[in-house]
Amino acid sequence: MKNLVVFASGSGSNFQSIIDAIFEGTLNAQIVGFISNNESAYSVTRAQDNNIPVLIISQSDFDDGESYSEVLLNQLKDWNAEVLILAGYLKKIPSEIISAFENNILNIHPSLLPKYGGKGFYGINVHKAVLENKEIESGCTVHIVTDEYDQGPILGQSKVKVLAADSPSDLAKRVLEKEHNLLPLTIQQHLKNKK
């Protein structure tokens, strides 16, 4: 059974979908730690409610990126982390961590990459852009994290139709439902492929 560490900055509904999938037995893994840059995020409460160890850490608390990366890496080693999952984490992962966990950091992104990826494309910004460009479909993507934002190999995608009456929040809600299914499934597939 692989050891996962989940990173999230917000409410953590994708984090919850991973917890639920493990509980239901559709994801054969355990969550050994949770990391956030936002101590007031509801995702922190989700971790505490499930007795998952929590680290609140932000690069702005450190004088330099090197010390931040070192603390992060040491914590991940202490937890025996094997695969890192970014479930709505809004900070860039340092290169040192990407190197240490090469091909074992997965991110969920609320668009059909390579469309609407990269710096600035997160959350509601993505859905606004999709509607402004009159796309007929959108969706979500799980991909491997590399040094370039949203550029890593794609592991899975799920599509939704864009409806004429959609507001950005309507679209976001439907895409999020797809994310909750896609993320645990793709993690399980990734873990099977890693054996």
Side-chain angles (χ1 to χ4, degrees):
M1 191 181 287
K2 292 282 187 193
N3 292 341
L4 309 181
V5 171
V6 180
F7 290 63
S9 300
S11 76
S13 65
N14 273 311
F15 176 32
Q16 188 66 51
S17 75
I18 299 167
I19 294 169
D20 294 346
I22 290 171
F23 182 73
E24 289 157 10
T26 53
L27 175 53
N28 183 26
Q30 58 186 354
I31 302 170
V32 294
F34 172 75
I35 292 175
S36 185
N37 60 307
N38 177 4
E39 64 185 356
S40 57
Y42 187 63
S43 49
V44 175
T45 306
R46 291 183 198 270
Q48 291 163 339
D49 288 349
N50 288 278
N51 299 314
I52 296 167
V54 173
L55 173 66
I56 307 291
I57 187 170
S58 179
Q59 191 163 344
S60 57
D61 300 336
F62 294 84
D63 293 335
D64 57 72
E66 210 173 287
S67 342
Y68 166 67
S69 297
E70 198 177 320
V71 170
L72 201 49
L73 204 49
N74 286 337
Q75 182 61 76
L76 292 169
K77 281 180 182 163
D78 284 351
W79 283 336
N80 293 317
E82 293 171 278
V83 178
L84 311 183
I85 310 295
L86 310 187
Y89 188 65
L90 300 180
K91 296 290 174 187
K92 194 160 180 15
I93 299 295
S95 298
E96 295 85 345
I97 308 293
I98 293 171
S99 296
F101 289 88
E102 192 176 359
N103 295 324
N104 275 310
I105 308 177
L106 279 60
N107 180 49
I108 181 102
H109 183 78
S111 78
L112 296 173
L113 292 173
K115 286 185 169 185
Y116 309 106
K119 202 160 172 55
F121 279 114
Y122 60 88
I124 207 76
N125 296 357
V126 172
H127 306 298
K128 282 179 181 166
V130 166
L131 291 173
E132 280 164 15
N133 288 309
K134 302 193 176 357
E135 297 284 358
I136 56 168
E137 65 178 11
S138 190
C140 50
T141 303
V142 176
H143 66 95
I144 297 284
V145 173
T146 60
D147 277 319
E148 297 296 317
Y149 270 119
D150 303 326
Q151 297 284 311
I154 289 172
L155 300 178
Q157 290 189 315
S158 190
K159 295 178 179 179
V160 299
K161 280 192 168 65
V162 177
L163 308 176
D166 273 343
S167 68
S169 56
D170 294 334
L171 183 56
K173 192 175 174 193
R174 287 206 316 286
V175 170
L176 190 60
E177 284 171 12
K178 293 288 189 186
E179 290 178 36
H180 293 162
N181 289 323
L182 180 67
L183 184 56
L185 279 172
T186 309
I187 296 168
Q188 179 62 26
Q189 196 57 52
H190 180 72
L191 298 183
K192 275 169 73 176
N193 293 344
K194 282 281 159 196
K195 281 182 181 170

